[in-house]
Amino acid sequence: MINPTHHKIIINALEKKAHSLGRATAWFQYVKKHKKSEGYRFLAHKGAQMRVLEDVMHSLQGKLPGMTEGEVADFIAQTVNNE
């Protein structure tokens, strides 16, 4: 379970980055759930989004005590792909 304060910090960072790029946060989505198999499929041409998300993750290092880089990455991935 993610700390509510950390949750707000991560969401805010994603929203600020999207705004600075003139995009909606939905632009970050890189996978979609496959309706029939219930698995996931990667969307085409998502390299730019992945690089920006990686930058956001690195910018949050040190701002979220008690969270590992992997936990931050997992939360970001879950957030952007549930849009």
Side-chain angles (χ1 to χ4, degrees), residues 2-3 6 14 19 23 26 33 35 38-40 43-44 57 63 68 79:
I2 188 166
N3 175 320
H6 291 173
L14 288 170
H19 180 72
R23 304 280 187 170
K33 194 163 196 163
K35 292 177 183 172
E38 295 294 316
Y40 290 90
L43 302 173
M57 181 188 66
K63 295 179 184 176
T68 66
T79 300

Side-chain angles (χ1 to χ4, degrees), residues 48-60 76:
Q49 289 87 334
M50 294 298 289
R51 284 188 294 278
V52 172
L53 289 172
E54 189 173 313
D55 289 344
V56 170
M57 181 188 66
H58 290 302
S59 75
L60 292 170
I76 288 172

Side-chain angles (χ1 to χ4, degrees), residues 25-34 39-50 53 77 80-83:
T25 55
W27 178 76
F28 292 128
Q29 185 176 28
Y30 60 90
V31 297
K32 283 196 174 184
K33 194 163 196 163
H34 192 274
Y40 290 90
R41 67 180 176 88
F42 283 90
L43 302 173
H45 311 293
K46 293 296 181 177
Q49 289 87 334
M50 294 298 289
L53 289 172
V80 300
N81 289 305
N82 285 329
E83 295 275 326

